[in-house]
Amino acid sequence: MVFSSLIFLYFFLPLNLILYYVSGNLVYRNILLTLFSFFFYAWGEPVWIVLLLFSALFDYGNGILIEKLNNKSKAKLVVAFSVIVNIGLLVAFKYSGFLYDNLSLLINLPFARPEVTLPIGISFYTFQTISYTIDVYRGDVKAQRNPMNFLLFVSLYHQLVAGPIVRYKTIADEINGRKFQWNDFSSGIGRFSLGLFKKIVIADAAGSLVDNYLITNFDLLTSPTAWFGLSMFAIQIYFDFSGYSDMAIGLGRMFGFHYNENFKNPYAANSITDFWRRWHISLSTFFRDYVYIPLGGNKVGKRRMYYNIFIVWALTGFWHGASWNFMLWGLYFAMILLIEKRVLLSIYSKIPIIFRYTITLVFIVFGWSLFYFEDLSKWSTFCSNLFNFSSNQILAFSFDLRQNIYWFTLVILLCIPWDELPYFTKRWEVLAGNQIILTSKIVLHILILIICTSLLVGSSYHPFLYFRF
Amino acid sequence: MHNLKVIHVLAYSGILTLGMLSFVFSKKEKESILEKRKLQENPIITLKSFLDGSWMLKYEKFMDDHFPWRSSFVDIAFQLNELKGIKNPNNARLITKTKDKKIDEKKIDLNKAARDINYLINAESASSKGLLIIAGRAFQVFGGTRASVKSYVDVVNEYRKILPDHVRVFNCIVPTGSSFIFVKEYDYLRDKEFKNIDDAYSLSSPNVINVPAKEAIVAHQDEYIYFASDHHWTARGAYYAYTAYCQASGLKATPLNKMTRKVKRNFLGTLYNLTKDESIKKNIDSVEYFIPSVSTDVKVFAEFASGGNSYGVFLGGDKAHLKIKTSVKNGKSVVVIKNSFGNPFSTFLINNYETVHVVDYRYFDSGLLRLIKNEEIDDVIFFHNVFSANTLSHSERQRIIKNPVSTENSSEKKTNEKKMETKKTNKNSKLELNDENSDSDTTN
């Protein structure tokens, strides 16, 4: 199931809320949330529930085992075992086709290509359980004794299928001790509405434009239209992904959980280093804490540090999909990071700040081309289109620009980091408690709900071109 | 302040709950009149359909189709989309097709597609690249290529090769309304369609007779030959194609004034329903039809058709196979292989033939070669608009019905096209509908 669907908004969520708040006891509430999470997951993939259960119970056991073993080196073995099994699952279900394709280029494989479908959310929940066992081993958090509670952490539908990667220690206390506050619920609704708006009004609309430029008219693209199409993809992916995170965070609040932020105005980054502090934060901090720092981070020699950076970014890229282009996408950022450290940062200090933001944005947007085209030969054709300045005028481009000009303005407004500008934050603090502001918020959230519902219903409107009589 | 937050929470969750309750307790319609399709029924859950996830998919579709106040929400959605920007000169706007993702993602073979009429209909406009709305009229933007039309002409050529010499094979491709916009900026659309038709004719094998329909239509381009609100054309447009056909086949075209002219008013067609554009609504169409003085054994015009269904007046809509016996006692017979664009065209042929067979290749499945042989057909006309001639699944479909592997020997005359069980499994029939455009773009 996805959040941006009628079945979720007008069936799953209200039912879940009512039953949850009718049952007063937190134990019942947790069981109820787990059951709903299973139902949520089963809606798309009933069979893979088994895998989810296995993954949860396996690391539930590992956590307790690690804690019970006084011997550090034995505990380390358990952690290693846990990591290997989890990564093994990920490799088996996500990367086996990729590995097969590449190995068969080198040697003749005696078996057929494994055709496994990717279980939804596996990339997220395996990382969550890995972080749990490592954190228990490091002593950052106590192992969870109650299997039901641990199952709730792993399967919680808010973040199960599309992140953020919530670490156990973030919500450990809230599993058994969260309190209801109207304030939380109310702010949760606000956050959920924002996410819904981002997903349905911005991302989906951008997506239909992307299809026009990067799929259907691909061979006719000229430089401006190619950049336009790519920018639409940049808009789509950011608003889609961050919208989903917003909805997850908002849903969490409605039920009393507080998850960490996953995006912070990424397109307002002033360098690629900065970009990765703002983009998919739960993933980049995962790799920072569990790969980069254990490898020595930047407290090692220059050469070793560069090596660490390349490892981390190749993995980050590869996590996004089982294809070379994703790895290249990661390495592309590693390369820019190095160039930034060595050259660009000193140049940036000498030029007007606006160029710094622009250059960073161009790097990011160009990077999305690597992310978009899984077929690298297609990608190289596309790149030649990006720099093809012939005057092949395309009707759709001017049409799309004009027809979406207000929408476009809205997108830009939503990319501006208002919450980082002191001028606005100060004024906002003064206004936040204002009755009128609060009332208009209520109206706004309901309005967003109506808008999103209309667009969802509207997308199910398929009149027949050729009617029968 | 605290109270307002309580109100916030209760109002928001109240609306969600209200939505849920009104969905559960609302009356469920069976069909949508506006969309001209059957709505999804409440799916029955079985262990199998639950485990493979198909029940969930259907249930979501069921909810989409029966959401409370659905038509109002659809209207709001259309109006919201208008708010996204400003209008272009001449009030032109381009609507790129909203693709049905579920169909897009699946790789489907044509046998399956034939069973599910949705797939075929979806494919009908596969060579379309969106809708252009300008000056109160809507047009489909053509996206076919020489390669995509070649696969259609290949099929016609195959028929020509197999059929005995005394059977004449005609290829008639007509342009659509977007060739007749008459705004300079969009002249290239006409060029594209015309060039595609020329390409098609140049690819025909020498024994296929090409019908120079577009020249005949251009000569009357100032007349009311295309609808503003519908993707079909008027009987008047079809008449000029008929005159071109008569010229190509050595027949004498019956003049329009020798037929009885009738008109159905207030016709808002499919393109209006797709776009809900106000400017089109103001430009409401009417359906003109011409009844030949020749008498026929079956009704050729469904005169009760009205409103949005008015185009159904021609042949009463699309039937898999319609056989018309006329009072023209010349012993000649013709079969038109067509989709709904060919309906008005077919009605004119009764002036010149003793027997007129009209075959809708999308629904017909009992062997076209056999029909031509058994019914001793003299002339075979492949009739297309430039879009369907460039739609791969349609070419493929016409190839399949040539000689299905096993055919049923029961009644051929199927009027109920919903009963479309395909019995044959043809290796060649595997086709990915969603690859149509890329296929034709790359093989050129």
Side-chain angles (χ1 to χ4, degrees):
Chain A
M1 201 182 290
V2 291
F3 299 150
S4 55
S5 67
L6 295 173
I7 193 103
F8 180 82
L9 289 173
Y10 295 103
F11 213 103
F12 185 92
L13 185 58
L15 203 63
N16 188 201
L17 282 170
I18 290 169
L19 293 177
Y20 181 88
Y21 282 108
V22 163
S23 46
N25 177 326
L26 200 56
V27 176
Y28 291 143
R29 286 182 172 184
N30 283 350
I31 292 174
L32 193 85
L33 266 184
T34 314
L35 287 176
F36 266 86
S37 297
F38 273 73
F39 185 74
F40 183 90
Y41 194 77
W43 192 259
E45 308 252 296
V47 275
W48 294 130
I49 284 269
V50 183
L51 199 64
L52 181 73
L53 264 172
F54 167 78
S55 192
L57 292 177
F58 175 68
D59 282 313
Y60 163 74
N62 287 334
I64 294 177
L65 197 60
I66 291 165
E67 213 170 59
K68 283 209 170 142
L69 288 169
N70 296 322
N71 184 332
K72 258 294 190 194
S73 60
K74 273 187 188 163
K76 204 169 190 171
L77 274 178
V78 178
V79 173
F81 181 58
S82 159
V83 171
I84 288 166
V85 170
N86 275 304
I87 299 291
L89 281 180
L90 203 55
V91 170
F93 285 98
K94 192 171 174 179
Y95 298 102
S96 53
F98 173 81
L99 290 175
Y100 182 91
D101 292 344
N102 286 286
L103 279 176
S104 62
L105 292 178
L106 303 172
I107 45 169
N108 242 339
L109 291 170
F111 50 93
R113 190 179 194 276
E115 297 295 336
V116 278
T117 49
L118 182 70
I120 298 172
I122 191 171
S123 315
F124 291 96
Y125 68 73
T126 47
F127 271 38
Q128 295 194 175
T129 54
I130 288 175
S131 78
Y132 167 73
T133 45
I134 297 178
D135 285 351
V136 172
Y137 168 76
R138 287 179 179 172
D140 290 347
V141 71
K142 273 195 172 160
Q144 174 61 256
R145 300 282 152 168
N146 183 337
M148 285 310 291
N149 286 346
F150 191 71
L151 201 57
L152 173 66
F153 156 67
V154 179
S155 67
L156 199 51
Y157 71 87
H158 310 151
Q159 25 80 6
L160 176 64
V161 295
I165 301 166
V166 174
R167 295 199 200 169
Y168 176 71
K169 60 181 173 193
T170 313
I171 58 166
D173 296 336
E174 285 176 344
I175 289 177
N176 286 325
R178 57 187 187 280
K179 287 195 187 72
F180 174 77
Q181 280 179 327
W182 289 102
N183 192 24
D184 261 349
F185 201 138
S186 162
S187 73
I189 290 172
R191 199 57 192 273
F192 183 79
S193 304
L194 175 69
L196 199 62
F197 185 82
K198 277 172 152 181
K199 164 73 182 141
I200 294 175
V201 179
I202 311 286
D204 288 353
S208 66
L209 290 171
V210 171
D211 288 352
N212 274 339
Y213 289 88
L214 304 190
I215 299 176
T216 35
N217 288 331
F218 186 73
D219 46 342
L220 295 170
L221 288 180
T222 56
S223 180
T225 47
W227 281 103
F228 182 76
L230 195 55
S231 313
M232 287 301 128
F233 182 62
I235 291 169
Q236 183 194 9
I237 195 161
Y238 165 55
F239 282 91
D240 197 283
F241 202 174
S242 75
Y244 221 88
S245 289
D246 285 331
M247 287 189 269
I249 291 168
L251 285 168
R253 298 246 175 97
M254 293 187 204
F255 294 92
F257 290 100
H258 296 81
Y259 308 136
N260 289 336
E261 289 299 326
N262 209 19
F263 290 87
K264 279 180 190 156
N265 311 311
Y267 290 153
N270 62 21
S271 66
I272 292 301
T273 319
D274 189 29
F275 173 70
W276 279 100
R277 286 188 202 116
R278 297 163 173 276
W279 180 273
H280 202 181
I281 300 164
S282 65
L283 181 74
S284 46
T285 52
F286 181 93
F287 279 111
R288 184 196 67 201
D289 294 348
Y290 302 111
V291 182
Y292 186 66
I293 292 177
L295 282 174
N298 44 14
K299 294 195 175 70
V300 285
K302 269 242 161 91
R303 199 171 260 186
R304 175 77 199 194
M305 187 184 86
Y306 293 158
Y307 171 78
N308 290 349
I309 286 178
F310 272 95
I311 289 288
V312 166
W313 292 102
L315 286 176
T316 306
F318 203 43
W319 178 87
H320 286 84
S323 172
W324 285 113
N325 68 304
F326 293 109
M327 201 183 278
L328 283 177
W329 178 72
L331 291 173
Y332 163 81
F333 281 115
M335 204 182 65
I336 300 180
L337 282 173
L338 292 191
I339 298 173
E340 268 183 2
K341 279 190 205 302
R342 297 201 70 136
V343 197
L344 279 177
L345 288 179
S346 61
I347 298 178
Y348 282 159
S349 57
K350 290 178 198 124
I351 53 173
I353 194 143
I354 180 84
F355 291 116
R356 186 178 170 155
Y357 284 103
T358 316
I359 292 169
T360 306
L361 197 56
V362 171
F363 279 145
I364 297 167
V365 172
F366 180 73
W368 290 127
S369 68
L370 268 170
F371 194 93
Y372 184 83
F373 292 102
E374 288 190 26
D375 180 347
L376 287 172
S377 66
K378 266 194 174 172
W379 175 74
S380 65
T381 321
F382 179 76
C383 286
S384 66
N385 287 333
L386 278 177
F387 305 103
N388 160 21
F389 298 103
S390 74
S391 62
N392 188 358
Q393 195 229 330
I394 289 186
L395 169 79
F397 176 54
S398 61
F399 265 76
D400 284 340
L401 209 60
R402 244 186 260 147
Q403 254 170 234
N404 296 299
I405 192 80
Y406 301 134
W407 175 84
F408 213 56
T409 317
L410 184 70
V411 171
I412 292 169
L413 285 175
L414 284 172
C415 286
I416 292 173
W418 302 107
D419 53 343
E420 293 175 39
L421 303 172
Y423 178 89
F424 291 100
T425 47
K426 266 185 213 150
R427 267 157 193 78
W428 185 245
E429 268 168 35
V430 178
L431 286 173
N434 187 308
Q435 297 264 346
I436 299 167
I437 295 285
L438 268 172
T439 317
S440 35
K441 262 191 184 172
I442 299 175
V443 175
L444 178 71
H445 296 155
I446 291 172
L447 200 66
I448 288 178
L449 186 63
I450 294 171
I451 289 174
C452 291
T453 307
S454 311
L455 292 175
L456 280 176
V457 176
S459 70
S460 75
Y461 176 78
H462 299 300
F464 264 3
L465 256 189
Y466 279 63
F467 60 80
R468 287 168 309 113
F469 187 59
Chain B
M1 184 181 148
H2 178 75
N3 285 343
L4 273 175
K5 288 197 170 155
V6 176
I7 292 170
H8 188 195
V9 169
L10 294 182
Y12 199 85
S13 17
I15 291 175
L16 297 182
T17 314
L18 196 75
M20 176 172 72
L21 294 177
S22 30
F23 165 66
V24 172
F25 294 110
S26 68
K27 190 171 161 273
K28 311 285 187 289
E29 303 285 337
K30 280 225 161 74
E31 280 179 22
S32 160
I33 299 160
L34 204 59
E35 291 167 81
K36 301 186 176 81
R37 66 178 174 94
K38 268 198 162 168
L39 297 171
Q40 171 71 45
E41 287 170 23
N42 195 349
I44 298 158
I45 187 165
T46 60
L47 187 66
K48 190 180 165 289
S49 69
F50 178 79
L51 286 180
D52 66 13
S54 63
W55 176 77
M56 291 82 152
L57 274 180
K58 280 196 183 138
Y59 197 85
E60 276 198 57
K61 199 164 181 313
F62 171 65
M63 184 152 182
D64 287 346
D65 277 0
H66 298 281
F67 198 74
W69 306 290
R70 181 156 187 272
S71 58
S72 313
F73 279 122
V74 169
D75 282 341
I76 297 175
F78 275 101
Q79 281 167 22
L80 284 170
N81 280 320
E82 303 249 313
L83 290 177
K84 288 200 310 206
I86 40 179
K87 293 227 161 125
N88 286 282
N90 299 312
N91 268 344
R93 62 196 186 103
L94 190 71
I95 297 171
T96 37
K97 215 170 36 177
T98 47
K99 281 187 273 178
D100 191 336
K101 280 188 185 140
K102 273 167 200 150
I103 291 176
D104 247 20
E105 282 160 7
K106 274 189 189 150
K107 302 184 169 179
I108 38 176
D109 64 82
L110 206 85
N111 285 315
K112 213 189 280 165
R115 241 171 283 132
D116 188 345
I117 204 69
N118 280 332
Y119 289 125
L120 276 179
I121 295 209
N122 192 277
E124 191 130 9
S125 52
S127 55
S128 154
K129 296 219 158 180
L131 286 174
L132 179 70
I133 298 176
I134 178 164
R137 295 170 68 199
F139 306 96
Q140 287 170 283
V141 178
F142 179 61
T145 60
R146 188 182 168 91
S148 59
V149 81
K150 183 174 183 296
S151 49
Y152 157 70
V153 179
D154 285 348
V155 176
V156 178
N157 290 345
E158 276 171 35
Y159 275 94
R160 174 65 279 173
K161 217 172 151 188
I162 298 166
L163 287 169
D165 288 347
H166 64 83
V167 178
R168 298 190 296 175
V169 175
F170 294 86
N171 182 13
C172 183
I173 306 177
V174 298
T176 71
S178 43
S179 287
F180 303 94
I181 300 177
F182 309 122
V183 175
K184 202 173 175 309
E185 259 178 282
Y186 308 111
D187 278 353
Y188 78 97
L189 290 174
R190 164 192 291 230
D191 298 343
K192 245 178 130 175
E193 290 198 354
F194 281 17
K195 186 180 169 297
N196 191 269
I197 295 172
D198 291 340
D199 281 347
Y201 285 178
S202 72
L203 291 163
S204 290
S205 73
N207 302 329
V208 171
I209 306 167
N210 293 318
V211 179
K214 77 172 189 302
E215 289 75 9
I217 296 164
V218 167
H220 297 274
Q221 61 184 17
D222 300 329
E223 297 172 31
Y224 184 33
I225 50 178
Y226 289 94
F227 296 117
S229 70
D230 198 86
H231 68 296
H232 294 110
W233 61 346
T234 69
R236 204 170 273 275
Y239 177 75
Y240 298 119
Y242 159 76
T243 58
Y245 171 74
C246 288
Q247 187 201 329
S249 66
L251 299 170
K252 196 173 165 293
T254 307
L256 268 185
N257 56 23
K258 289 275 165 63
M259 296 180 243
T260 316
R261 177 180 178 271
K262 287 188 175 179
V263 181
K264 298 214 169 281
R265 307 223 172 265
N266 295 330
F267 171 54
L268 275 177
T270 48
L271 297 179
Y272 169 74
N273 281 334
L274 270 174
T275 56
K276 300 241 175 181
D277 186 275
E278 282 302 310
S279 68
I280 300 176
K281 199 176 183 180
K282 282 182 202 134
N283 211 357
I284 194 160
D285 281 304
S286 51
V287 179
E288 203 181 17
Y289 57 104
F290 301 91
I291 306 177
S293 53
V294 183
S295 67
T296 54
D297 64 336
V298 290
K299 272 197 170 175
V300 177
F301 295 92
E303 301 210 50
F304 53 85
S306 66
N309 280 334
S310 296
Y311 188 77
V313 72
F314 305 107
L315 307 179
D318 297 323
K319 313 222 160 107
H321 176 200
L322 182 68
K323 182 179 176 183
I324 308 163
K325 280 277 191 190
T326 73
S327 56
V328 183
K329 295 291 172 209
N330 62 3
K332 283 166 92 179
S333 58
V334 64
V335 57
V336 191
I337 296 118
K338 59 92 211 176
N339 51 48
S340 56
F341 224 83
N343 293 359
F345 172 80
S346 306
T347 63
F348 292 114
L349 293 175
I350 60 179
N351 286 305
N352 304 76
Y353 286 92
E354 183 169 334
T355 320
V356 178
H357 293 266
V358 186
V359 164
D360 197 314
Y361 58 84
R362 296 168 297 171
Y363 313 125
F364 182 80
D365 57 1
S366 39
L368 199 51
L369 289 179
R370 208 173 53 128
L371 174 83
I372 294 168
K373 191 171 165 246
N374 291 353
E375 300 279 339
E376 294 172 344
I377 304 285
D378 301 308
D379 296 331
V380 177
I381 310 170
F382 286 87
F383 190 92
H384 280 273
N385 69 53
V386 68
F387 281 77
S388 59
N390 279 276
T391 304
L392 221 58
S393 61
H394 285 224
S395 314
E396 203 56 36
R397 177 79 192 154
Q398 288 164 91
R399 174 176 286 137
I400 290 171
I401 61 168
K402 182 168 57 190
N403 214 353
V405 176
S406 71
T407 41
E408 48 172 353
N409 32 15
S410 62
S411 67
E412 269 192 356
K413 195 164 178 176
K414 270 195 202 157
T415 40
N416 183 4
E417 54 275 47
K418 282 174 199 165
K419 263 187 163 181
M420 289 202 33
E421 288 128 9
T422 32
K423 280 110 204 154
K424 55 257 152 183
T425 31
N426 188 329
K427 274 267 158 67
N428 301 333
S429 65
K430 271 214 166 164
L431 187 72
E432 292 165 18
L433 292 181
N434 52 332
D435 276 346
E436 268 154 27
N437 286 321
S438 52
D439 272 352
S440 47
D441 288 348
T442 46
T443 47
N444 195 348

